Amino acid sequence: MQHFDHIKTWVFDLDNTLYDADTELFRLVADRMTDFVSQFLKIDAGEANRIRKHYYHTYGTTLRGLMEEHSLDPTGFLQYVHDIDYTTVTPCPVTQEGLARLSGRKVVFTNAPRHFAVAMLDHLGIAQHFDGVFAIEDATYLPKPNIETYHTCLARHGIDPAAACMFEDMAVNLKPAHDLGMTTVWFHGKQAEQPEDAAHIHHKAEKLTHWFDAYFKNSNP
């Protein structure tokens, strides 16, 4: 595998990147978001679900939409939404071994809250491989793909974008990374359909374990 020899820092998204998407886990999060919106705005579940999705597509996260349009204090939302049983996610030995073998600094860059990210990394058995976690609180709740958040993450962790690679399951979140000079890897899952503008995607794989397999097969890290 080529084009990675210059990489000094590996930047990983969390959900559906460091672990595979679990429909039950994601459904639980979505359901709790809908419940929160319903209670907070005093509307029925159907309308709350519509608003949840609208805010996500408009602002990048449902939380940001609630903050912008309803002056929500984010703390209670983040605690409520992520109060789920994440132990249903099975730790992956291939990911554990791959991270151990991958040379260079490693940072998690996620729209999830810090308490959830730290707990999930610990549960997955991979926390020791990371030099830092940049969570939504560190971005003052401004989510990816806002480029200001990328600038803040890079500065906070002393990352040179020209010597960094970012892994993501959401192609739109790789556009700012590309524009800043980072190498990008998109995990497309079962759906390999390219985005309309794919110039910001340098490499792709179905998921992280597949990328590890190819990387270690074709290089001598």
Side-chain angles (χ1 to χ4, degrees):
M1 183 173 287
Q2 64 232 8
H3 307 310
F4 293 103
D5 290 345
H6 66 295
I7 301 300
K8 305 298 183 186
T9 305
W10 307 90
V11 180
F12 292 83
D13 179 39
L14 177 64
D15 300 325
N16 205 25
T17 297
L18 284 170
Y19 66 94
D20 292 343
D22 181 286
T23 54
E24 179 65 14
L25 185 70
F26 284 14
R27 184 189 63 77
L28 288 173
V29 171
D31 286 350
R32 290 187 71 79
M33 282 189 189
T34 298
D35 289 344
F36 186 96
V37 172
S38 177
Q39 294 174 41
F40 181 67
L41 297 181
K42 298 180 174 54
I43 55 179
D44 65 52
E47 179 64 7
N49 191 48
R50 185 193 69 78
I51 289 176
R52 173 182 69 80
K53 293 177 179 178
H54 170 67
Y55 286 170
Y56 173 77
H57 291 296
T58 303
Y59 294 100
T61 60
T62 300
L63 171 61
R64 192 69 192 184
L66 291 169
M67 291 176 67
E68 291 287 342
E69 301 208 10
H70 304 281
S71 302
L72 172 73
D73 180 339
T75 307
F77 175 91
L78 291 172
Q79 289 291 338
Y80 183 86
V81 164
H82 291 88
D83 184 15
I84 56 174
D85 181 13
Y86 53 81
T87 61
T88 57
V89 177
T90 304
C92 175
V94 175
T95 297
Q96 293 170 346
E97 180 185 359
L99 289 170
R101 292 179 62 189
L102 190 65
S103 299
R105 296 173 62 226
K106 303 171 190 72
V107 174
V108 173
F109 181 14
T110 177
N111 281 343
R114 175 170 293 276
H115 77 272
F116 178 79
V118 170
M120 180 61 83
L121 292 175
D122 187 58
H123 167 68
L124 294 172
I126 58 177
Q128 70 273 21
H129 300 303
F130 291 93
D131 297 280
V133 173
F134 188 88
I136 194 67
E137 298 96 328
D138 301 303
T140 59
Y141 306 100
L142 187 66
K144 297 180 285 185
N146 290 279
I147 197 162
E148 297 95 332
T149 295
Y150 292 68
H151 282 296
T152 304
C153 178
L154 295 177
R156 179 77 55 87
H157 292 283
I159 299 170
D160 174 7
C165 177
M166 185 167 176
F167 300 93
E168 260 279 357
D169 69 305
M170 295 186 64
V172 66
N173 289 344
L174 291 174
K175 179 65 165 58
H178 166 271
D179 292 347
L180 290 169
M182 298 173 74
T183 298
T184 63
V185 179
W186 176 47
F187 297 136
H188 54 71
K190 299 295 184 182
Q191 305 280 327
E193 183 178 345
Q194 287 276 90
E196 280 187 31
D197 175 15
H200 58 286
I201 296 172
H202 299 135
H203 307 274
K204 63 180 181 176
E206 182 177 327
K207 54 186 178 179
L208 179 58
T209 54
H210 291 190
W211 184 85
F212 277 141
D213 287 344
Y215 179 75
F216 292 120
K217 179 180 179 181
N218 296 288
S219 65
N220 282 308

